[in-house]
Amino acid sequence: MKMQKSMTLMMLSFGILLTGCLGGNETGSSTATDAQPKSSQEAADKAPAPAATTTPKVDILKIAGSNNGYPSPFAFSSSGPFGYLRNSLIFDTLTWKDDKGVIPWLAKSWEVTNNGLTYTFKLEENVEWHDGKAFTAEDVVFSFNYYKTYPFNWNGDISQIKSVEKINDLTVAFNLNNKYAPFLSDLVGIVPIIPKHVWEKVTKPIEFRDDAALVGTGPYKLKKYESASGQYLYAANDKFFKGQVLVNELAFVSASNKLLALQNGEIDQTYTSSYADVQTAEKAGLKTIKSEPAGSVVRISFNLEHAKLGDKRLRQAIAYALNREEISAKITGGQPMVGNAGVIPTDSPWYNKNVKQYAYDVAQAEKILDELGYKKNADGMRENLKLNLMTSSTMQDATMMKEMLKKVGIELNLVQLDSAAFAVALGENNYDIALTGHVGASGDPDYLRLWFSGQAANMWSSRGKSLKLDEFHKLAEQQMQELDEGKRREIVNQMQDILAEELPTLVLYHRPFYDIHKAATFDRWKNTYGGIADGMPLWENKVFLIDLKK
């Protein structure tokens, strides 16, 4: 399927398919979400200081993983964030993020014109591609031009770019079509630079499997990939320009029972969304880290072309009928985090605290359904109101929803599809209600524009027709181009208000993830501020595998 540009979604695991900013204004402004630097100097100041003593290296670090495709920029799997993360170990971007926000990466500094339309980057010196060739501005210009013809397999809205021009071998300028608030974090901080000398003659990049397809500048080189078992082995790049790579070999290992594999010494690190797993792990002496902010939404999407669900009153009745606090508590096992009707997680700095919500209220749901004319029969079920809920796996959420809606007389039929059929049905609007989930909600709020305009790159998102709400799309364009944080926040608040009223989707709950690892093996993991790249609340951030030099 042709991948477009945008926001992420990951396949919910452990019972659910885990699927998966501001640029400067005249003086450069920052966001509470991604700590966008006011200048490249401020970003450089955020970078960790060199360690006072040499950090000991680790021979091998084994992390629970699965098959996420061939890790070239065009062939990794877009069914979740792990394909992107595998790719990011090999290829670098102009900016990146650490636990404090956006930092320089391949670009060591940048300047922004007063009107916010031109970004000029000074590139790092003496950077080598894995094959020994020199990295220059030519590669940057080539990369973004190449992606216009052959799209990068993840997010990064390059349609915002008017042109990229080489100033000299180590200076490049980006001219934008319009102001673009998330430029530093969600465009040049996501889209990898590829070597011109490798790709300039490649016309079928998805099929390209020559060893040169994995020539990057990143901290790792791929040593081995087994597609059948979904296992990867990476070897450290001893000539990495940002500093010493601390783990000599990085292995992603398939494990059917990840927690047991960790306890048995088969792996050193995994993740979970189950608080019960966290409690078990901590009792076993393992270290855990909770994703903060949660950065995840588990939601139901309504097919707005459905004869009955096209009426927002029915969607609102369903919202009132679902005890989302109970669902959250039972599924995650931790502190319930009820979904925001305006989509943005309630622990995000971008959350609109005054947005309309739908507390569990059976009486209100019954009242709306009565007003809509759905009468109950002798069995207490409402006539002519049978709906299908499409899922991509056996989900406890779906079973709970079925029982809750039955209490107000709505018959909900559960339809389970394999992942491929699920993605196709979403894209074709061939469903009534779909249960799905996303990560990436801890990053820049521009993902609201991308989700609801049908531009999301991830195959699990609802990439059907654009939401038919003109006012929402008008606001979405405004927030994207607003470089004043306060004004942008007001616009994003209005977008949440519209989503909460119209309910094209209903977030059931926001779910934190937990890293579990052996601290004695490797203990440098942290939460990435605003999430890795476009808001992934995970831990496989290459910056923490490197002893960075200033």
Side-chain angles (χ1 to χ4, degrees):
M1 299 175 66
K2 183 177 180 181
M3 300 303 157
Q4 296 172 304
K5 299 293 167 277
S6 150
M7 192 47 338
T8 78
L9 165 67
M10 85 175 4
M11 256 187 353
L12 303 175
S13 69
F14 298 96
I16 291 184
L17 190 71
L18 175 61
T19 54
C21 113
L22 285 178
N25 55 18
E26 283 85 11
T27 59
S29 66
S30 63
T31 73
T33 309
D34 281 346
Q36 195 78 311
K38 295 178 181 178
S39 68
S40 53
Q41 182 58 52
E42 179 182 317
D45 291 342
K46 291 175 182 290
T53 58
T54 302
T55 305
K57 295 188 73 173
V58 176
D59 287 335
I60 186 168
L61 183 63
K62 295 172 288 184
I63 302 176
S66 59
N67 185 24
N68 302 114
Y70 186 73
S72 85
F74 305 92
F76 65 79
S77 171
S78 62
S79 63
F82 293 108
Y84 177 86
L85 293 173
R86 303 291 182 270
N87 173 264
S88 72
L89 295 169
I90 300 172
F91 294 88
D92 287 315
T93 49
L94 293 179
T95 67
W96 194 243
K97 289 182 191 173
D98 63 5
D99 57 316
K100 297 179 181 179
V102 173
I103 60 174
W105 206 250
L106 277 172
K108 65 179 182 180
S109 65
W110 57 84
E111 296 178 350
V112 188
T113 57
N114 288 337
N115 60 10
L117 293 176
T118 300
Y119 289 74
T120 302
F121 294 90
K122 295 287 187 181
L123 305 177
E124 286 279 1
E125 300 174 2
N126 302 316
V127 178
E128 289 185 3
W129 293 101
H130 292 157
D131 60 7
K133 299 288 179 64
F135 159 78
T136 72
E138 289 278 1
D139 297 304
V140 179
V141 174
F142 169 80
S143 296
F144 284 91
N145 287 334
Y146 192 80
Y147 289 132
K148 289 181 180 180
T149 302
Y150 307 105
F152 174 53
N153 205 23
W154 194 245
N155 305 320
D157 189 359
I158 66 168
S159 68
Q160 304 299 326
I161 300 172
K162 181 178 181 180
S163 65
V164 186
E165 57 182 312
K166 171 184 172 181
I167 305 301
N168 56 48
D169 282 348
L170 292 174
T171 308
V172 63
F174 285 74
N175 301 301
L176 307 185
N177 291 311
N178 44 251
K179 297 176 183 178
Y180 184 53
F183 178 76
L184 288 175
S185 62
D186 282 23
L187 210 172
V188 296
I190 291 176
V191 179
I193 307 304
I194 57 177
K196 178 180 179 180
H197 66 273
V198 169
W199 292 94
E200 60 185 340
K201 294 182 180 180
V202 178
T203 57
K204 295 182 178 180
I206 296 175
E207 301 173 13
F208 187 46
R209 293 292 190 277
D210 189 275
D211 289 346
L214 299 182
V215 168
T217 58
Y220 284 93
K221 303 176 184 180
L222 186 66
K223 187 173 181 179
K224 189 176 182 180
Y225 167 51
E226 296 178 355
S227 58
S229 61
Q231 301 193 110
Y232 301 77
L233 181 63
Y234 290 83
N237 174 12
D238 294 332
K239 296 182 178 180
F240 186 54
F241 68 98
K242 291 294 287 188
Q244 182 187 40
V245 182
L246 297 174
V247 178
N248 290 328
E249 290 189 330
L250 196 60
F252 295 95
V253 181
S254 297
S256 56
N257 187 323
K258 298 176 178 63
L259 190 57
L260 183 61
L262 188 60
Q263 292 172 313
N264 290 342
E266 299 168 22
I267 57 175
D268 304 305
Q269 179 182 353
T270 187
Y271 75 93
T272 182
S273 59
S274 168
Y275 187 65
D277 285 345
V278 172
Q279 293 175 310
T280 299
E282 291 180 344
K283 288 179 181 178
L286 298 165
K287 187 170 181 179
T288 63
I289 306 174
K290 180 182 178 181
S291 61
E292 293 180 343
S296 169
V297 300
V298 178
R299 66 184 179 117
I300 53 175
S301 291
F302 298 103
N303 184 351
L304 303 186
E305 295 182 356
H306 186 277
K308 297 181 174 64
L309 290 168
D311 190 326
K312 72 177 180 182
R313 293 174 297 172
L314 177 55
R315 304 195 294 272
Q316 292 173 344
I318 291 173
Y320 282 119
L322 294 175
N323 188 339
R324 293 178 288 144
E325 183 173 357
E326 180 181 340
I327 295 174
S328 175
K330 288 187 176 180
I331 297 298
T332 66
Q335 182 67 33
M337 193 174 174
V338 177
N340 170 23
V343 178
I344 289 178
T346 53
D347 64 351
S348 167
W350 292 97
Y351 169 56
N352 177 1
K353 296 180 180 179
N354 298 316
V355 73
K356 179 178 181 178
Q357 300 294 356
Y358 297 83
Y360 179 51
D361 191 337
V362 171
Q364 182 65 13
E366 297 266 25
K367 179 176 180 293
I368 295 174
L369 293 170
D370 289 341
E371 291 173 350
L372 289 172
Y374 294 115
K375 298 181 179 179
K376 289 185 176 180
N377 58 26
D379 297 324
M381 302 305 292
R382 296 183 183 272
E383 299 176 359
N384 301 319
L385 192 53
K386 297 180 181 180
L387 299 171
N388 292 324
L389 176 65
M390 183 177 72
T391 72
S392 57
S393 65
T394 302
M395 297 181 178
Q396 186 181 353
D397 315 58
T399 303
M400 295 176 70
M401 288 174 58
K402 179 181 177 73
E403 293 304 313
M404 291 173 182
L405 292 183
K406 184 177 180 180
K407 291 180 180 179
V408 297
I410 298 176
E411 182 178 338
L412 192 65
N413 179 45
L414 305 185
V415 179
Q416 183 180 336
L417 302 178
D418 62 42
S419 58
F422 185 89
V424 171
L426 277 176
E428 296 178 348
N429 278 359
N430 188 20
Y431 64 96
D432 297 349
I433 307 173
L435 176 59
T436 186
H438 300 254
V439 295
S442 61
D444 189 274
D446 191 49
Y447 66 82
L448 293 180
R449 172 182 69 92
L450 297 165
W451 282 10
F452 297 105
S453 62
Q455 297 180 58
N458 197 288
M459 66 183 290
W460 295 103
S461 58
S462 297
R463 293 186 300 165
K465 297 180 180 178
S466 175
L467 183 64
K468 296 179 180 178
L469 292 172
D470 291 343
E471 181 61 24
F472 177 86
H473 294 303
K474 179 180 178 181
L475 291 169
E477 291 296 316
Q478 289 177 0
Q479 65 78 28
M480 177 188 75
Q481 299 183 38
E482 180 54 68
L483 303 184
D484 180 278
E485 182 185 338
K487 293 179 180 179
R488 190 179 184 214
R489 188 178 301 279
E490 292 176 1
I491 300 170
V492 173
N493 283 348
Q494 293 178 61
M495 293 169 65
Q496 292 177 72
D497 287 334
I498 292 175
L499 292 174
E501 174 63 27
E502 298 295 331
L503 281 188
T505 189
L506 175 67
V507 180
L508 300 178
Y509 56 94
H510 301 289
R511 168 198 49 180
F513 291 96
Y514 304 88
D515 166 82
I516 306 175
H517 67 274
K518 294 180 179 178
T521 303
F522 189 79
D523 194 27
R524 289 171 58 94
W525 301 115
K526 301 178 183 180
N527 281 313
T528 298
Y529 194 83
I532 301 171
D534 50 352
M536 304 173 196
L538 301 169
W539 293 274
E540 294 172 25
N541 186 340
K542 59 190 175 186
V543 73
F544 303 129
L545 294 164
I546 302 160
D547 199 0
L548 290 184
K549 58 185 178 182
K550 278 285 187 176

